[in-house]
Amino acid sequence: MLTRKQHELLRFIHERLKESGVPPSFEEMKEALDLRSKSGIHRLITALEERGFIRRLPNRARALEVIRLPETVQAVPKTAAATPAPARSFAPSVIEGSLGRAKPTASPAAEEELARPIPIPVMGRIAAGSPISAIQSASQTIAMPADMLGSGEHFALEVRGDSMIEAGILDGDLALIRRGDTAENGSIVVALIDDEEATLKRLRRKGASIALEAANPAYETRIFGPDRVRIQGRLVGLFRRY
């Protein structure tokens, strides 16, 4: 799963390497992604490196190599935001796919089944900033094609706050969550703190402790004992209304 900014940066580096054989500078990457500081580029590169899409070449300053591309994720056209969407509809922003695997040929009946919308419950709001009370019961649903979901049970949460903006997650977005009580280190998860506060943060395990890391330098990383945090699910998609 890549955020929009991670995907844009990966494509930018890949195209520059194809054209000149030399990766772009941090300043060029910052301008291409319209970020305010190079620190955001550092975080995006680290995230791409952790997910196995790029690697830093040893003994060469700032040299990068693209290892693979997310074949099933298409770049979002820059003009997409200019097209108004119908009321209460959400445009897919980031969707997890099967990376590096050929898509099998399906029968017409199977394709129709995969394209049939599945109702996903929207379970209230999730904090990406100030604390919000624990996850509520379903208040509405959104419809999604089955082939965009993958396996497992899913639910959606409305994001409130700006603590994850450098991960491409904005106030008012709908976060698509795959339900589960475990997640890999570095994943963006829904964490329930003391059974009272639900928050959307990047998970970092530090020894016996759990760190919930924001993607905004204005917010501090919060560290808890393992008995205080329960994982409710992992972010697999993001929807934004235009």
Coordinates of all heavy atoms in Angstrom, one line a residue, residues 1-3 6 9-10 41-56 64-65 67-68 99 167 184-188 202-206 213-214:
M1 N 0.8 -1.2 0.0 CA 0.0 0.0 0.0 C 0.9 1.2 0.0 O 1.8 1.4 0.8 CB -0.9 0.0 1.2 CG -1.9 1.1 1.3 SD -1.3 2.6 2.0 CE -1.0 2.1 3.7
L2 N 0.6 2.1 -1.0 CA 1.4 3.4 -1.0 C 0.4 4.5 -0.9 O -0.7 4.5 -1.4 CB 2.1 3.5 -2.4 CG 3.3 2.5 -2.6 CD1 3.9 2.8 -4.0 CD2 4.3 2.6 -1.5
T3 N 0.8 5.6 -0.3 CA 0.1 6.8 -0.3 C 0.3 7.5 -1.6 O 1.1 7.1 -2.4 CB 0.5 7.8 0.9 OG1 1.9 8.2 0.6 CG2 0.5 7.1 2.2
Q6 N 3.8 9.0 -1.8 CA 4.8 8.0 -2.0 C 4.8 7.5 -3.5 O 5.8 7.3 -4.1 CB 4.5 6.8 -1.1 CG 4.8 7.1 0.4 CD 4.3 6.0 1.3 OE1 3.7 5.1 0.9 NE2 4.5 6.3 2.6
L9 N 6.2 10.2 -5.8 CA 7.7 10.3 -5.7 C 8.4 9.1 -6.4 O 9.4 9.3 -7.1 CB 8.1 10.3 -4.2 CG 9.6 10.4 -3.9 CD1 10.2 11.7 -4.6 CD2 9.9 10.4 -2.5
L10 N 7.8 7.9 -6.2 CA 8.4 6.7 -6.8 C 8.4 6.8 -8.3 O 9.4 6.6 -9.0 CB 7.6 5.5 -6.4 CG 8.1 4.1 -6.9 CD1 9.6 3.8 -6.4 CD2 7.2 3.0 -6.5
I41 N 10.5 14.7 2.1 CA 11.0 13.8 1.1 C 11.8 12.7 1.8 O 11.7 11.6 1.4 CB 12.0 14.6 0.1 CG1 11.2 15.6 -0.7 CG2 12.8 13.7 -0.8 CD1 10.2 15.0 -1.7
H42 N 12.6 13.1 2.8 CA 13.3 12.1 3.6 C 12.4 11.0 4.1 O 12.6 9.8 4.0 CB 14.1 12.7 4.7 CG 15.3 13.4 4.3 ND1 16.5 12.7 4.0 CD2 15.6 14.7 4.1 CE1 17.4 13.6 3.7 NE2 16.9 14.8 3.8
R43 N 11.2 11.4 4.7 CA 10.3 10.5 5.2 C 9.6 9.6 4.1 O 9.4 8.4 4.3 CB 9.2 11.2 6.0 CG 9.6 11.6 7.4 CD 8.4 12.2 8.2 NE 8.1 13.5 7.8 CZ 8.6 14.6 8.3 NH1 9.5 14.5 9.3 NH2 8.2 15.8 7.9
L44 N 9.3 10.2 3.0 CA 8.8 9.4 1.9 C 9.8 8.4 1.4 O 9.4 7.2 1.1 CB 8.3 10.3 0.7 CG 7.1 11.3 1.0 CD1 7.0 12.3 -0.1 CD2 5.9 10.4 1.2
I45 N 11.0 8.8 1.2 CA 12.1 7.8 0.7 C 12.2 6.7 1.7 O 12.3 5.5 1.4 CB 13.4 8.6 0.5 CG1 13.3 9.5 -0.8 CG2 14.5 7.6 0.4 CD1 14.5 10.3 -1.0
T46 N 12.3 7.0 3.0 CA 12.4 6.0 4.1 C 11.2 5.0 4.0 O 11.4 3.8 4.1 CB 12.4 6.6 5.5 OG1 13.6 7.5 5.5 CG2 12.5 5.6 6.5
A47 N 10.0 5.5 3.8 CA 8.8 4.7 3.7 C 8.9 3.7 2.5 O 8.6 2.6 2.6 CB 7.6 5.5 3.7
L48 N 9.4 4.3 1.3 CA 9.5 3.5 0.1 C 10.6 2.4 0.3 O 10.5 1.3 -0.2 CB 9.8 4.4 -1.1 CG 8.7 5.3 -1.6 CD1 9.2 6.3 -2.6 CD2 7.5 4.4 -2.2
E49 N 11.7 2.8 1.0 CA 12.8 1.9 1.2 C 12.3 0.7 2.1 O 12.6 -0.4 1.9 CB 13.9 2.6 1.8 CG 15.2 1.8 1.9 CD 16.4 2.6 2.4 OE1 16.1 3.6 3.1 OE2 17.5 2.3 2.2
E50 N 11.5 1.1 3.2 CA 11.0 0.0 4.1 C 10.1 -0.9 3.4 O 10.0 -2.1 3.8 CB 10.3 0.7 5.3 CG 11.2 1.4 6.2 CD 10.5 2.2 7.3 OE1 9.2 2.3 7.2 OE2 11.1 2.6 8.3
R51 N 9.4 -0.5 2.4 CA 8.4 -1.3 1.7 C 9.0 -2.0 0.5 O 8.4 -2.7 -0.3 CB 7.2 -0.5 1.2 CG 6.3 -0.1 2.3 CD 5.4 1.1 2.0 NE 4.5 1.5 3.0 CZ 4.8 2.1 4.2 NH1 6.1 2.4 4.4 NH2 3.9 2.3 5.1
G52 N 10.3 -1.8 0.3 CA 11.1 -2.6 -0.8 C 10.9 -2.1 -2.2 O 11.1 -2.8 -3.1
F53 N 10.5 -0.8 -2.3 CA 10.4 -0.2 -3.7 C 11.7 0.5 -4.2 O 11.9 0.5 -5.4 CB 9.2 0.8 -3.7 CG 7.9 0.2 -3.6 CD1 7.2 0.1 -2.4 CD2 7.2 -0.4 -4.7 CE1 6.0 -0.5 -2.3 CE2 6.0 -1.0 -4.7 CZ 5.4 -1.1 -3.4
I54 N 12.4 1.0 -3.3 CA 13.7 1.6 -3.7 C 14.8 1.2 -2.7 O 14.5 0.7 -1.6 CB 13.6 3.2 -3.7 CG1 13.3 3.7 -2.3 CG2 12.6 3.6 -4.7 CD1 13.4 5.2 -2.2
R55 N 16.0 1.4 -3.0 CA 17.1 1.2 -2.1 C 18.2 2.3 -2.3 O 18.3 2.9 -3.4 CB 17.7 -0.1 -2.2 CG 18.6 -0.4 -3.5 CD 19.1 -1.8 -3.5 NE 19.9 -2.1 -4.6 CZ 21.3 -2.1 -4.6 NH1 21.9 -1.8 -3.5 NH2 22.0 -2.3 -5.7
R56 N 18.9 2.7 -1.3 CA 20.0 3.6 -1.3 C 21.2 2.9 -1.7 O 21.5 1.8 -1.1 CB 20.2 4.3 0.0 CG 18.9 5.0 0.5 CD 19.1 5.6 1.9 NE 17.9 5.8 2.6 CZ 17.4 7.1 2.8 NH1 18.0 8.1 2.4 NH2 16.2 7.2 3.5
L64 N 19.9 6.7 -5.5 CA 18.8 5.8 -5.3 C 18.6 4.9 -6.5 O 18.9 5.2 -7.6 CB 17.5 6.6 -5.1 CG 17.5 7.6 -3.9 CD1 16.3 8.5 -4.0 CD2 17.5 6.9 -2.6
E65 N 18.0 3.7 -6.2 CA 17.7 2.7 -7.2 C 16.3 2.3 -7.0 O 15.9 1.9 -5.9 CB 18.7 1.6 -7.2 CG 18.4 0.5 -8.2 CD 19.3 -0.7 -8.1 OE1 19.7 -1.0 -7.0 OE2 19.5 -1.4 -9.1
I67 N 13.7 -0.5 -7.2 CA 13.7 -1.9 -7.3 C 12.5 -2.5 -8.0 O 12.5 -3.4 -8.8 CB 13.8 -2.5 -5.9 CG1 15.1 -2.1 -5.2 CG2 13.7 -4.1 -5.9 CD1 15.1 -2.4 -3.7
R68 N 11.3 -1.9 -7.7 CA 10.1 -2.4 -8.3 C 9.1 -1.2 -8.3 O 9.2 -0.3 -7.6 CB 9.5 -3.6 -7.6 CG 9.1 -3.4 -6.2 CD 8.8 -4.7 -5.5 NE 8.5 -4.5 -4.1 CZ 7.3 -4.6 -3.6 NH1 6.2 -4.8 -4.4 NH2 7.0 -4.4 -2.3
L99 N 1.1 -6.6 -5.6 CA 2.2 -6.1 -6.3 C 3.1 -7.2 -6.9 O 3.4 -8.2 -6.3 CB 3.1 -5.3 -5.2 CG 2.3 -4.2 -4.5 CD1 3.2 -3.6 -3.5 CD2 1.8 -3.1 -5.5
A167 N 1.6 11.8 5.2 CA 1.4 10.5 4.6 C 0.2 10.6 3.6 O -0.2 9.5 3.2 CB 1.0 9.5 5.8
E184 N 2.3 -5.1 10.7 CA 3.7 -5.0 10.6 C 4.2 -3.7 11.1 O 3.5 -2.7 11.0 CB 4.1 -5.2 9.1 CG 3.8 -6.5 8.5 CD 4.2 -6.6 7.1 OE1 4.6 -5.6 6.5 OE2 4.1 -7.7 6.5
N185 N 5.5 -3.7 11.6 CA 6.1 -2.5 12.0 C 6.2 -1.5 10.9 O 6.6 -1.8 9.8 CB 7.5 -2.8 12.5 CG 8.1 -1.7 13.4 OD1 7.3 -1.1 14.2 ND2 9.4 -1.5 13.4
G186 N 5.8 -0.3 11.1 CA 5.7 0.8 10.0 C 4.4 0.9 9.3 O 4.2 1.9 8.6
S187 N 3.5 0.0 9.6 CA 2.1 0.1 9.0 C 1.3 1.3 9.6 O 1.6 1.6 10.8 CB 1.3 -1.2 9.2 OG 2.0 -2.2 8.6
I188 N 0.4 1.8 8.9 CA -0.5 2.8 9.4 C -1.7 2.0 9.9 O -2.4 1.3 9.2 CB -0.9 3.9 8.4 CG1 0.3 4.7 8.0 CG2 -2.0 4.8 8.9 CD1 0.0 5.7 6.9
R202 N 1.1 5.8 12.5 CA 2.0 4.7 12.1 C 2.6 4.0 13.3 O 3.0 4.6 14.3 CB 3.2 5.4 11.3 CG 4.0 4.3 10.5 CD 5.1 5.0 9.7 NE 4.6 5.9 8.7 CZ 4.1 5.5 7.5 NH1 4.0 4.2 7.3 NH2 3.6 6.4 6.7
L203 N 2.6 2.7 13.2 CA 2.9 1.8 14.3 C 4.5 1.6 14.3 O 5.0 1.2 13.2 CB 2.2 0.4 14.2 CG 2.6 -0.6 15.2 CD1 2.1 -0.3 16.6 CD2 2.1 -2.0 14.7
R204 N 5.1 1.8 15.4 CA 6.5 1.5 15.6 C 6.7 0.8 16.9 O 6.2 1.2 17.9 CB 7.4 2.8 15.6 CG 7.3 3.7 14.4 CD 8.0 3.1 13.2 NE 8.0 4.1 12.1 CZ 8.4 3.8 10.9 NH1 8.8 2.5 10.6 NH2 8.4 4.7 9.9
R205 N 7.3 -0.4 16.8 CA 7.6 -1.1 18.1 C 9.0 -0.8 18.5 O 9.9 -0.9 17.8 CB 7.4 -2.6 17.8 CG 5.9 -3.0 17.6 CD 5.8 -4.5 17.5 NE 4.4 -4.9 17.3 CZ 3.7 -5.0 16.2 NH1 4.4 -4.7 15.0 NH2 2.5 -5.3 16.1
K206 N 9.1 -0.4 19.8 CA 10.4 -0.1 20.4 C 10.6 -0.9 21.6 O 10.1 -0.6 22.7 CB 10.4 1.4 20.7 CG 10.2 2.3 19.5 CD 10.3 3.8 19.9 CE 10.1 4.7 18.7 NZ 11.2 4.7 17.8
E213 N 3.2 7.0 15.8 CA 4.0 8.1 15.1 C 3.1 8.8 14.2 O 2.5 8.3 13.3 CB 5.2 7.4 14.4 CG 6.1 8.4 13.7 CD 7.2 7.7 13.0 OE1 8.2 7.3 13.7 OE2 7.1 7.4 11.8
A214 N 3.1 10.1 14.4 CA 2.4 11.0 13.4 C 3.2 11.3 12.2 O 4.4 11.0 12.1 CB 2.1 12.3 14.1

